[in-house]
């Protein structure tokens, strides 16, 4: 793999490759001290950005499905599921609690 060709590999629990997502590499002027993962809403899709040191990796995506909510807008169910999963590991990590991420590392 060439340094400029980055991919996010998503595996199933059994270890088989479910998806390979190309990432765009950017060099940052100012270094980021902590690994930062951001999900940004864009139109009906989103953008995933991972930053660390002087590198940023990003990809844009569309949700598999949206459902109409009671207020006439769209509810992005996948974003809620992703946030739930990330909050179980990432938020404790921010507070110095490594136990949740260590138990799920395998």
């Amino acid at each position: 793999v060439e340094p400029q060709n980055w991919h996010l590999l998503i595996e199933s629990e059994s270890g088989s490759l479910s998806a390979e997502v190309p990432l765009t590499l950017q060099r940052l002027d100012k270094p980021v001290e902590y690994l930062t993962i951001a999900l940004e809403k864009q139109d009906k899709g989103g953008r995933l950005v991972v930053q660390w040191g002087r590198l940023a990796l990003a990809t844009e995506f569309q949700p598999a499905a949206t459902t109409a909510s009671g207020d006439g807008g769209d509810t992005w169910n996948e974003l809620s599921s992703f946030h739930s999963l990330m909050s179980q590991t990432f938020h404790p990590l921010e507070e110095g609690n490594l136990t949740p991420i260590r138990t799920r590392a395998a």
Side-chain angles (χ1 to χ4, degrees):
V1 175
E2 297 177 19
Q4 64 270 22
N5 292 330
W6 290 76
H7 292 87
L8 171 65
L9 303 178
I10 301 172
E11 295 182 353
S12 68
E13 288 186 31
S14 66
S16 62
L17 185 62
S18 296
E20 184 173 346
V21 181
L23 299 168
T24 303
L25 173 67
Q26 297 175 356
R27 303 226 181 256
L28 303 172
D29 294 332
K30 217 174 177 185
V32 175
E33 187 172 345
Y34 297 103
L35 176 67
T36 304
I37 301 170
L39 267 177
E40 304 165 350
K41 187 156 175 61
Q42 288 186 332
D43 300 317
K44 292 191 180 216
R47 185 169 186 246
L48 171 71
V49 181
V50 179
Q51 296 178 328
W52 193 21
R54 292 194 176 269
L55 300 179
L57 298 166
T59 190
E60 295 179 2
F61 58 91
Q62 296 293 317
T66 58
T67 57
S69 63
D71 64 358
D74 286 335
T75 301
W76 190 1
N77 298 325
E78 291 80 5
L79 180 60
S80 297
S81 297
F82 179 79
H83 183 263
S84 175
L85 175 69
M86 288 299 291
S87 67
Q88 295 172 17
T89 54
F90 184 70
H91 295 305
L93 182 64
E94 287 181 307
E95 298 168 357
N97 180 0
L98 301 176
T99 302
I101 201 162
R102 284 182 177 149
T103 58
R104 290 185 168 97

